[in-house]
Amino acid sequence: MAIRDRIRVLIDVGSGSTLEEVVEATKEGGAVETHRADGLTYITETAKNGMARRTVTVADARVVAIIEEPDRARKEQDRATEP
């Protein structure tokens, strides 16, 4: 995913409640990546040089949903709502 793209993760925190974590590619050349390994889900914002800027780590059992929102979709939605 590219600049201004984002990934939202819904996390089960118990008692039927969820917590939403949002990781967005904020800098030019940055990206957001999702990786699953060893029972964990990692969502990482990376810089242009490939270094991790921010990482959210969640146990797979707690992940309710992972929602990828490309910037292109938001632009199309904005054009559709213009008068």
Side-chain angles (χ1 to χ4, degrees):
M1 299 185 77
I3 186 170
R4 290 186 300 272
D5 289 351
R6 65 182 174 173
I7 295 179
R8 296 186 308 148
V9 181
L10 296 178
I11 305 164
D12 178 14
V13 292
S15 302
S17 300
T18 59
L19 172 71
E20 179 182 48
E21 284 286 338
V22 178
V23 180
E24 184 171 359
T26 57
K27 300 287 184 180
E28 187 172 337
V32 182
E33 301 171 357
T34 304
H35 175 72
R36 297 175 80 174
D38 300 325
L40 298 173
T41 298
Y42 302 91
I43 297 93
T44 305
E45 176 190 359
T46 57
K48 189 187 308 188
N49 64 2
M51 298 292 291
R53 297 176 47 92
R54 176 177 176 222
T55 300
V56 173
T57 305
V58 183
D60 282 343
R62 298 243 181 226
V63 174
V64 175
I66 298 175
I67 305 157
E68 296 182 355
E69 296 179 340
D71 186 48
R72 294 175 295 279
R74 283 185 270 153
K75 286 181 184 176
E76 290 175 5
Q77 184 179 18
D78 291 344
R79 276 190 249 141
T81 59
E82 290 179 1

